[in-house]
Amino acid sequence: MSTCVFCEISAGRIPCTKLYENEHVLAFLDIGPISDGHTLVVPKAHYDRLHQCPPDVLAELGRVVGFLAEPVARAVQADGYNVLNNNGSAAGQVVEHVHVHIIPRKTGDGVFDRWPAYKYPPGKAEAIAEKIKKNLAR
Ligand code: AMP
């Protein structure tokens, strides 16, 4: 059976640079930062993806992300920060244990320089919205 690195960190069997912890959530510095102060916030219990987290775990995860974002950014004199959560390999998820990145940003730092935005052709936004709303009813 393969082990999950964030489960191991949560259980204290793999070291981390810990920032905050409570009964449900742990926050520590990312070992491969894309900016100084790059932080990960994880539920201690294992869930592969965000939508699999029970609502109370999600609420606590969100609360801790909000609680930490400004102190993390201020510690490295950042001008802003990104909050990012990758789900599935197509979306760049490498560690299959839910985690939220807090990424401090400085003006002109070049991180996430390009956001490949485009425009919907007529009717497409409405058609997609309709499908999403049908899925909500399930
Ligand atoms: P993601 O691509 O969203 O799955 O991001 C996984 C993140 O986990 C990467 O930014 C890694 O640098 C980070 N990471 C992997 N192993 C560790 C570890 N042992 N301690 C801290 N961060 C880690």
Side-chain angles (χ1 to χ4, degrees):
M1 197 177 116
S2 67
T3 54
C4 166
V5 64
F6 291 170
C7 284
E8 292 298 292
I9 289 175
S10 295
R13 290 188 288 267
I14 290 180
C16 69
T17 309
K18 194 185 292 182
L19 301 174
Y20 176 85
E21 135 173 74
N22 66 24
E23 190 187 343
H24 301 293
V25 172
L26 174 69
F28 51 93
L29 289 182
D30 193 303
I31 206 172
I34 60 172
S35 68
D36 284 354
H38 183 163
T39 293
L40 299 176
V41 186
V42 309
K44 287 185 172 176
H46 184 96
Y47 305 97
D48 285 0
R49 303 202 183 168
L50 194 74
H51 66 272
Q52 294 164 341
C53 289
D56 58 330
V57 173
L58 262 185
E60 187 55 15
L61 198 62
R63 190 193 70 75
V64 173
V65 168
F67 170 67
L68 286 175
E70 192 276 338
V72 165
R74 185 156 39 94
V76 294
Q77 291 89 46
D79 304 311
Y81 57 86
N82 292 103
V83 171
L84 180 70
N85 162 242
N86 299 325
N87 292 273
S89 58
Q93 185 179 16
V94 174
V95 178
E96 294 251 337
H97 178 131
V98 169
H99 54 281
V100 177
H101 299 256
I102 301 172
I103 302 166
R105 299 293 308 279
K106 293 196 177 176
T107 304
D109 63 10
V111 177
F112 301 130
D113 238 356
R114 201 175 139 265
W115 187 267
Y118 58 88
K119 292 200 185 322
Y120 284 121
K124 191 168 179 184
E126 292 77 6
I128 292 172
E130 223 28 69
K131 283 187 190 170
I132 293 170
K133 287 189 270 183
K134 266 191 197 137
N135 287 345
L136 297 181
R138 266 208 257 137

